[in-house]
Amino acid sequence: MSVSVPRVRRWLLGILAAVLAVALITAGLAVWTVRRSFPQVSGELELPALSAPVTVYRDEYGITHLYADTPEDLFTAQGYVHAQDRFWSMDFNRHVTAGRLAELFGADQVPTDAYLRTMGWRRVAEAEYDLLAEETRRYLDAYAEGVNAYLEGKSATEVSLEYAVLAATNSEYEIEPWSAVDSLAWLKAMAWDLAGNMHDEIARASLLARGLPREQVEELYPAYPEEQHAPILAGGRVRDGKFVLDSDEAEQRDEDAADIPATAAVRALAGLQEPLEAIPRTFGSASSDLGSNSWVVSGEHTASGLPLLANDPHLGAVMPSIWYQMGLHCTTVDESCPFDVTGFTFPGLTGVVIGANDTIAWGFTNLGPDVIDLYLEKLDGDSAIVDGAPEPLETRTETIRVAGGDDVEITVRSSRHGPLLSDPELGAQLRTFAAKAPVTPEGEPAETAQDGDYAVAISWTALTPGRTADAIFLLNRARTFDEFREAARTFEVPAQNLIYADTSGNIGYQAPGKIPVRGKGDGRWPAPGWDSDYDWKEYLPFEELPTVVNPDSGFIVTANQAVVDSGYPHLLTTDWDYGYRSQRVVTLLEAAIADGGLTVEDMVDIQLDNENSGARALVPYLVEVDVEGAAAQAQELLAGWDFQQDADSAAAAFYNATYRHLLPLVFDELGANPKIEASQAWLLLTSLVESPESEWWRGEEVSSRDEALRVAMERAAAELTELLGEDVAAWRWGDLHTLTVRNASFGESGIAAVEWLFNRGPVATGGGSSVVNATGWDPAQGYEVTTVPSMRMVVDLADVDNSQWINLTGNSGHAFHPHYADQLELWAAGTMLPMRMTRSAVEEAAEHTLVLRP
């Protein structure tokens, strides 16, 4: 997410930023403007909150390892070091989660703040603090003390360069102290970015609003192809209140077909798409390519005889990366100080999110259950009608402070289902549809629009206070699968696929999270709030959620595919990724296992696989179509293509350009630039190319399958000729598919000088959407990379210092610091760095040593 700079100040900011940029290049003022915020990394510093010294090692890439005698000292030092390297992004993110962007950037951000205040992420985080275990609160408070110790006595421009740019339009801004609640609120941002199928729910409503019949909309969302793309745990059942794996056939669950509110009500809900997409996302822009890969292989299939675990979360391409590589180590690991963990952390949050300790390793991918429902509410004054009777709305007032302007007050109202996202204060886009809907006062369909007052409410599991923060510390110190499962029990939102391996040779999987049980409906369509039968009744019991330890296959693959098959008795969601990535990983693992024991290098090779599996169904038809000129020359590239989308592949460039131009020809009912998930489009096209009589081939511009394929190839060839030249053989996918990592706050300001300061790239990349090397892109916008494997990690349980990892950009958040982007080119090339975990390896690799003293 990148905020917009208020237009009224853009001219001034542009002039000042340009002067600053020139100064950086020519005037010798770099030390004053940039280096003054670089952290001290060697020697000694005083940190009064500590009880004993803490040692901080940094290697040649600025990767940090902390050694302390107590957990409190360890997390105090973590807060201090995070603030040293990343405080601007921490501060920016806490303004996002609190709905306080207008305090930074002015009046343009008031609508965004209003949405965030309405959902109340910060309020939920405040309520969560008191629910947490006492030691969790201690650790969070210790972290905050460390952050504040770093900030003490520093001006804003001594903390980060971004504050110097901000001062051009907001010179009055002062940094506030950090608090434990600031850390907890980060979990709400993570949950929002990874929340279930809400965009699919709104998309379906939008298509109905455009006039597509429900049957045609349903065709666009086919059932998961579980026969072709294996779920994570096929054969999952529930017996005697526990999840079991059973290969026997079981009765299909009874799914209620969702009743859809009448046409104008659906049209009203469809109007939510644009304003909700404007809500900031700390993991990058909203995209169907947000997901992840992870897999774990038991020792029976590895060269060492102990497990290997791989993980690469697919998130937005932001600068700096959301991840920070760090080791948190107790000097003596015992019951009083049990932490010896290395992995990827979130600046602003205590502990390690993904990584390994001295006994186990774990990874995450997004499970993607349906944990958000939108309800259409029938209002009567300050009440919502439920089962024919009024039910008072809850109300509160929020004050939004505005840099350079007057405060703005909004009234937030909530029904039993959650906050109302459509109240007038939130903007004209939502006001326009709340006044009329073709339903009677009882909520029944009517032929014409009836006068009335309607609103849209959001039910979301993350708006109920929970204990996910406890899970982080339980994970960090778990040393058995049972302890790992207990940690997962409190990991409520966002629900993730958790994979596991340990030094005893065990591998496992656990699905955690709050997953609602609905009275009626399946969550795929907006629900009528006036009928309590559609309310959430409870959450799925943890013991009935999918889990396995040491499966017969000897490996577990999770890549956002279906977790279970259709025999599982509970509804998790129907909106899975359609499993091309996961099945490709399974195929590669099986081949590697057949060739002999897997190594760390084999796991990395799989992470970097560039095969476009969806192209296998389409290419045989493309090569048979009659085309001429450049399209005919390019067509020859496809005949011998191995379906690998390497950066230097000419065939990949032509195929993806063809695919980009084919989508609007086939799915013109969805608009000029159809938004459709890659794996979804692949599955649909696989079926459609075998059905030339399908109505989907007949549109405004083409009337048959072969005509659509021909026109798409001709347009692709013309576009690539213009972009890449007339020599077809010289076309390169990486020349189209480039990555520019943009600063989350100023990276799309529209001011070239500011963007130059903070953005990095472009770099050529291979891969693509729904490819294992998941460099996602949006065909409606172009070929530029939008989502990425935000990090890559492979853990070797036989020799932890043989593990490898890479971050997208670098550990530092300071522009022009040596570690701001020193991993970017390595990441693009598929290079990995040593992931050192033992103290001897850490000390040997240390380039800098800093001692923090009480």
Side-chain angles (χ1 to χ4, degrees):
M1 173 267 173
S2 183
V3 299
S4 60
V5 178
R7 291 188 185 90
V8 67
R9 299 174 183 157
R10 182 167 291 182
W11 178 82
L12 175 60
L13 180 56
I15 293 296
L16 293 177
V19 171
L20 177 60
V22 171
L24 289 173
I25 299 170
T26 64
L29 297 177
V31 172
W32 182 82
T33 56
V34 178
R35 294 186 61 86
R36 69 191 311 234
S37 64
F38 290 1
Q40 179 179 335
V41 296
S42 298
E44 295 187 357
L45 285 171
E46 185 175 311
L47 211 175
L50 296 176
S51 64
V54 175
T55 303
V56 182
Y57 296 109
R58 283 179 167 88
D59 70 8
E60 62 179 319
Y61 289 95
I63 296 170
T64 58
H65 286 264
L66 281 56
Y67 290 85
D69 292 343
T70 70
E72 289 79 8
D73 283 353
L74 189 62
F75 296 121
T76 298
Q78 184 185 22
Y80 189 92
V81 171
H82 272 171
Q84 277 189 307
D85 285 332
R86 293 286 194 92
F87 185 75
W88 165 262
S89 62
M90 293 165 59
D91 196 18
F92 173 72
N93 287 338
R94 71 167 161 177
H95 279 80
V96 170
T97 58
R100 295 175 56 192
L101 286 173
E103 292 182 26
L104 290 174
F105 303 109
D108 280 11
Q109 301 304 316
V110 168
T112 298
D113 284 348
Y115 281 110
L116 291 161
R117 297 288 186 94
T118 296
M119 282 193 284
W121 295 359
R122 174 81 184 191
R123 290 169 57 85
V124 177
E126 290 169 350
E128 282 183 340
Y129 180 83
D130 293 330
L131 299 179
L132 298 173
E134 188 272 334
E135 67 175 16
T136 299
R137 296 197 300 271
R138 286 204 320 269
Y139 298 161
L140 290 166
D141 290 339
Y143 181 92
E145 281 194 87
V147 174
N148 293 329
Y150 176 73
L151 295 175
E152 187 175 358
K154 291 183 174 65
S155 67
T157 54
E158 289 178 284
V159 173
S160 194
L161 177 62
E162 283 90 341
Y163 291 107
V165 175
L166 180 68
T169 60
N170 186 1
S171 60
E172 303 300 316
Y173 179 75
E174 295 183 3
I175 297 173
E176 296 177 359
W178 192 263
S179 74
V181 174
D182 293 329
S183 295
L184 292 175
W186 167 263
L187 295 171
K188 301 303 155 191
M190 180 170 68
W192 177 255
D193 288 2
L194 300 176
N197 76 334
M198 186 179 67
H199 71 280
D200 290 317
E201 185 175 337
I202 296 173
R204 282 187 281 265
S206 299
L207 294 173
L208 287 180
R210 291 172 63 91
L212 268 70
R214 177 168 176 170
E215 294 75 16
Q216 194 169 10
V217 175
E218 295 282 15
E219 286 182 32
L220 291 169
Y221 294 88
Y224 183 84
E226 57 191 53
E227 296 300 322
Q228 291 78 39
H229 299 162
I232 298 172
L233 300 180
R237 309 291 182 256
V238 174
R239 289 184 180 165
D240 300 324
K242 292 187 176 181
F243 180 88
V244 296
L245 282 180
D246 187 350
S247 59
D248 296 335
E249 289 299 317
E251 182 178 348
Q252 301 286 303
R253 64 171 175 265
D254 182 20
E255 292 184 18
D256 291 325
D259 294 329
I260 304 173
T263 304
V266 170
R267 188 175 298 118
L269 288 154
L272 281 169
Q273 186 74 51
E274 184 176 347
L276 287 179
E277 283 188 350
I279 292 177
R281 292 177 178 262
T282 53
F283 287 176
S285 302
S287 170
S288 60
D289 287 314
L290 292 180
S292 302
N293 300 324
S294 74
W295 60 91
V296 60
V297 182
S298 73
E300 65 185 290
H301 299 315
T302 68
S304 70
L306 283 177
L308 295 169
L309 183 147
N311 196 189
D312 56 285
H314 308 154
L315 303 171
V318 293
M319 185 80 215
S321 164
I322 66 163
W323 300 108
Y324 185 95
Q325 294 149 292
M326 178 176 268
L328 299 171
H329 310 278
C330 291
T331 307
T332 300
V333 180
D334 55 24
E335 187 174 338
S336 65
C337 194
F339 298 101
D340 187 13
V341 58
T342 301
F344 290 91
T345 68
F346 288 144
L349 184 63
T350 324
V352 168
V353 178
I354 292 173
N357 62 30
D358 54 330
T359 306
I360 78 166
W362 71 92
F364 289 179
T365 65
N366 197 22
L367 193 153
D370 189 353
V371 296
I372 292 183
D373 281 347
L374 298 174
Y375 286 86
L376 184 70
E377 306 283 14
K378 166 66 176 169
L379 301 186
D380 182 5
D382 289 327
S383 296
I385 303 301
V386 181
D387 299 333
E391 192 171 272
L393 298 170
E394 295 181 5
T395 63
R396 70 176 189 271
T397 300
E398 295 273 351
T399 301
I400 300 172
R401 294 185 173 86
V402 182
D406 296 330
D407 291 353
V408 175
E409 275 199 357
I410 65 168
T411 299
V412 177
R413 301 190 296 171
S414 299
S415 72
R416 63 161 55 193
H417 301 114
L420 304 188
L421 295 180
S422 54
D423 272 2
E425 289 89 344
L426 302 186
Q429 290 170 311
L430 298 181
R431 287 202 303 270
T432 57
F433 66 79
K436 293 180 181 289
V439 291
T440 67
E442 292 75 31
E444 298 299 325
E447 293 186 3
T448 59
Q450 307 292 307
D451 289 336
D453 188 8
Y454 291 84
V456 178
I458 180 172
S459 282
W460 179 28
T461 54
L463 298 184
T464 300
R467 295 178 51 213
T468 300
D470 284 340
I472 295 172
F473 300 106
L474 292 172
L475 276 175
N476 283 195
R477 64 176 183 242
R479 286 177 173 81
T480 67
F481 187 68
D482 287 342
E483 291 177 353
F484 174 78
R485 287 197 73 211
E486 283 307 301
R489 189 183 296 274
T490 62
F491 202 107
E492 296 175 339
V493 289
Q496 299 287 290
N497 298 305
L498 303 184
I499 61 168
Y500 168 95
D502 65 34
T503 54
S504 296
N506 300 299
I507 66 171
Y509 167 88
Q510 177 65 55
K514 278 185 176 178
I515 301 173
V517 176
R518 297 167 179 83
K520 286 181 66 176
D522 57 12
R524 299 178 70 243
W525 303 90
W530 50 80
D531 185 346
S532 64
D533 286 346
Y534 286 84
D535 287 358
W536 294 358
K537 305 304 181 185
E538 58 185 344
Y539 297 107
L540 291 181
F542 179 78
E543 296 299 331
E544 297 185 14
L545 293 175
T547 186
V548 71
V549 61
N550 297 327
D552 292 341
S553 66
F555 62 83
I556 303 165
V557 175
T558 85
N560 317 118
Q561 80 272 39
V563 175
V564 288
D565 58 32
S566 52
Y568 181 67
H570 300 309
L571 175 67
L572 301 179
T573 186
T574 59
D575 292 313
W576 308 105
D577 179 274
Y578 283 104
Y580 287 90
R581 278 184 291 115
S582 61
Q583 195 59 42
R584 177 62 177 167
V585 173
V586 169
T587 298
L588 292 170
L589 283 176
E590 290 175 340
I593 288 169
D595 287 342
L598 270 79
T599 64
V600 168
E601 290 71 27
D602 293 327
M603 301 284 272
V604 172
D605 287 344
I606 294 174
Q607 287 182 324
L608 298 174
D609 181 70
N610 286 326
E611 180 180 289
N612 184 325
S613 300
R616 289 185 175 276
L618 196 57
V619 166
Y621 294 89
L622 291 173
V623 298
E624 295 297 325
V625 174
D626 290 331
V627 289
E628 298 179 352
Q633 297 176 50
Q635 186 184 42
E636 294 177 4
L637 298 171
L638 300 180
W641 186 33
D642 61 1
F643 303 103
Q644 289 288 326
Q645 297 192 159
D646 298 338
D648 62 356
S649 171
F654 179 61
Y655 175 80
N656 282 291
T658 299
Y659 169 78
R660 165 171 145 79
H661 288 283
L662 183 62
L663 292 180
L665 294 172
V666 180
F667 303 112
D668 56 323
E669 293 89 343
L670 312 187
N673 294 302
K675 293 278 189 180
I676 186 166
E677 181 190 352
S679 70
Q680 178 187 13
W682 292 5
L683 187 63
L684 292 169
L685 290 171
T686 296
S687 175
L688 288 175
V689 291
E690 296 177 355
S691 304
E693 72 287 347
S694 171
E695 287 298 319
W696 288 103
W697 294 114
R698 289 181 260 285
E700 295 181 1
E701 296 188 79
V702 297
S703 58
S704 70
R705 179 194 66 190
D706 287 356
E707 184 180 10
L709 298 180
R710 176 182 58 78
V711 171
M713 283 194 287
E714 290 174 347
R715 291 179 178 177
E719 181 188 23
L720 297 193
T721 298
E722 180 178 351
L723 292 175
L724 304 178
E726 296 183 357
D727 184 356
V728 170
W731 294 347
R732 296 290 180 265
W733 174 227
D735 291 339
L736 296 170
H737 193 53
T738 61
L739 168 65
T740 297
V741 278
R742 293 181 172 86
N743 182 275
S745 46
F746 291 112
E748 295 179 287
S749 65
I751 302 168
V754 172
E755 293 179 5
W756 175 84
L757 288 174
F758 299 113
N759 297 344
R760 296 297 180 268
V763 294
T765 68
S769 298
S770 282
V771 172
V772 177
N773 183 18
T775 53
W777 57 290
D778 182 358
Q781 301 298 322
Y783 303 98
E784 185 177 8
V785 176
T786 56
T787 58
V788 291
S790 57
M791 60 80 156
R792 300 185 183 103
M793 177 187 78
V794 176
V795 179
D796 184 349
L797 275 298
D799 177 4
V800 291
D801 289 330
N802 189 45
S803 304
Q804 298 186 20
W805 59 355
I806 194 74
N807 203 347
L808 174 64
T809 57
N811 248 18
S812 177
H814 296 287
F816 303 102
H817 190 279
H819 303 313
Y820 186 60
D822 57 342
Q823 296 185 53
L824 178 59
E825 293 284 353
L826 300 174
W827 174 93
T831 302
M832 301 284 276
L833 299 175
M835 185 179 180
R836 302 178 181 93
M837 299 192 207
T838 65
R839 184 156 191 171
S840 59
V842 168
E843 290 182 344
E844 183 179 351
E847 296 269 330
H848 302 281
T849 302
L850 175 69
V851 178
L852 302 174
R853 296 194 177 278

